[in-house]
Amino acid sequence: MLPPTDKLAICFAHAAYRLHEQFSSLGTGINSFAVRDPETLAARVAEADVLVISGLWHDGLLDRAKKLRFVQAIGAGTDQFPREELAARGIRLASARGANYRAVAEHAMAFLLALGRRLPEARDNQTARLWRGMIGDSSQREDELGGKTLLIVGLGQIGGRLAQLAKAFDMRVIGLRRDPTAGHGAADAVHSIRELISLLPDADFVALTCPLTKETEKLINAEALARMKPCAHLVNVARGRVVDEPALVEALAAHRIAGAGIDVTAEEPLAANSPLWGMRQVLLTPHTAGETRRYEENVIEILRDNLGRLRRGEAQLRNLVV
């Protein structure tokens, strides 16, 4: 159970997000404070009953956080948290799944449009003040999405929304999910994720919207990339480690696939010497698919819901993990 409202302390730990400011403006009567770097977090985490955090987390905080009862992750992913250790200490954990599903789906759709319409190349030509002439080779021209096949790996909230957007462009959408009986939503068909290899040769675009688990780590490996069409594009808005990054670099360099839209990488920030930076057929964004002007508001809405449930002694939290 949480302490009374007037004795409760929430620590908002993030280098950039203005969660504390947004929460304070609501007049909840709850004491809260913000930390923006690891050193300040280590020094002040002992004051917190509730910790709202994502990238600043490290397991060494647990021995300092004697009062901690609840961790609200700022993002949908929670693979950085030691679930068994949290459970052993009686600390609850919930994700912010759903806070940015529309934004991430829109970002993935933007990748599809940008890659299909060759917008990275157009931007490069603009920078070079180059007016590209008409192209006789039709395979080198911009393309249309209508009639193309999109394979969505992970048909949850993000993948389901992406399917809706893709259908508006008259695409054929095939979804993969762990349990195909859970429904297909806007997708034309849904299959088990175990069928990935057999379905890859039919896809013009492969979009990764799945969580990172033991089963999905390096799911897109050399074998999977070899099964894709030479004219196909890979879009990753999931987690970087869902893709075998060296295998992807090799496939792109050898032109075994046409290109990639990448929002997440195996190590972040992406190393300055990564070949991905210099590949013209790659469109990179710095893990910003879920970031919008409304993100803090969306996370705090989930946090307040969970605080209410904890205060009422409910076992089931919104997006419960531990």
Side-chain angles (χ1 to χ4, degrees):
M1 290 291 291
L2 295 177
T5 297
D6 61 345
K7 298 186 182 304
L8 181 65
I10 301 177
C11 173
F12 292 97
H14 198 278
Y17 291 159
R18 302 297 173 184
L19 290 155
H20 170 58
E21 292 86 339
Q22 181 86 20
F23 185 80
S24 297
S25 70
L26 298 175
T28 62
I30 297 173
N31 177 46
S32 65
F33 60 95
V35 300
R36 303 202 175 278
D37 59 79
E39 294 75 22
T40 308
L41 175 59
R44 298 200 63 185
V45 71
E47 303 171 36
D49 302 288
V50 174
L51 181 59
V52 185
I53 192 169
S54 58
L56 290 178
W57 174 267
H58 63 86
D59 292 354
L61 294 170
L62 282 172
D63 287 335
R64 295 174 176 265
K66 301 300 184 183
K67 293 173 57 182
L68 189 61
R69 289 293 170 264
F70 174 53
V71 176
Q72 174 66 66
I74 294 173
T78 57
D79 46 285
Q80 70 269 45
F81 297 103
R83 300 183 185 189
E84 291 183 3
E85 182 63 22
L86 289 173
R89 294 174 183 244
I91 300 170
R92 312 294 300 281
L93 169 66
S95 79
R97 179 173 53 85
N100 59 5
Y101 81 97
R102 298 177 73 91
V104 177
E106 289 172 13
H107 200 89
M109 195 70 221
F111 272 144
L112 265 64
L113 287 163
L115 294 167
R117 301 303 303 172
R118 303 183 71 138
L119 295 186
E121 178 184 322
R123 185 68 181 190
D124 291 344
N125 289 343
Q126 179 181 344
T127 301
R129 298 174 181 267
L130 172 65
W131 188 272
R132 195 199 72 190
M134 297 180 70
I135 297 176
D137 183 353
S138 62
S139 69
Q140 299 304 306
R141 298 177 194 160
E142 291 82 357
D143 209 349
E144 302 176 27
L145 294 184
K148 292 289 192 293
T149 296
L150 168 62
L151 181 64
I152 300 177
V153 183
L155 204 63
Q157 280 187 303
I158 296 170
R161 178 59 178 165
L162 176 58
Q164 291 176 331
L165 297 176
K167 291 305 295 180
F169 285 86
D170 297 322
M171 298 187 77
R172 175 174 173 257
V173 179
I174 308 300
L176 295 181
R177 65 190 317 166
R178 185 171 51 187
D179 179 12
T181 64
H184 58 79
D188 296 288
V190 63
H191 298 266
S192 166
I193 205 162
R194 293 188 296 273
E195 299 178 62
L196 170 68
I197 294 298
S198 65
L199 292 168
L200 282 170
D202 294 328
D204 299 292
F205 292 89
V206 178
L208 307 177
T209 58
C210 55
L212 176 65
T213 65
K214 291 180 181 178
E215 292 73 27
T216 62
E217 186 165 5
K218 293 188 178 180
L219 183 68
I220 303 299
N221 53 22
E223 179 189 5
L225 291 161
R227 296 284 290 173
M228 291 175 62
K229 296 178 181 179
C231 60
H233 291 83
L234 178 70
V235 167
N236 189 6
V237 293
R239 286 291 184 270
R241 297 207 310 274
V242 175
V243 176
D244 182 335
E245 206 163 274
L248 174 61
V249 168
E250 184 179 349
L252 288 164
H255 301 285
R256 288 197 291 272
I257 65 172
I262 301 170
D263 184 59
V264 287
T265 55
E267 298 295 333
E268 296 179 0
L270 182 64
N273 63 353
S274 170
L276 291 171
W277 287 111
M279 292 182 160
R280 293 192 67 192
Q281 70 272 48
V282 172
L283 180 55
L284 280 169
T285 53
H287 204 152
T288 53
E291 291 190 4
T292 73
R293 299 175 190 184
R294 295 171 53 183
Y295 191 68
E296 285 92 337
E297 176 186 338
N298 294 340
V299 171
I300 286 171
E301 192 273 326
I302 295 172
L303 169 66
R304 294 187 73 187
D305 184 5
N306 279 330
L307 291 176
R309 296 182 189 213
L310 287 165
R311 188 164 286 112
R312 294 189 296 271
E314 296 180 18
Q316 185 61 43
L317 302 182
R318 184 167 168 182
N319 301 335
L320 175 67
V321 179
V322 174

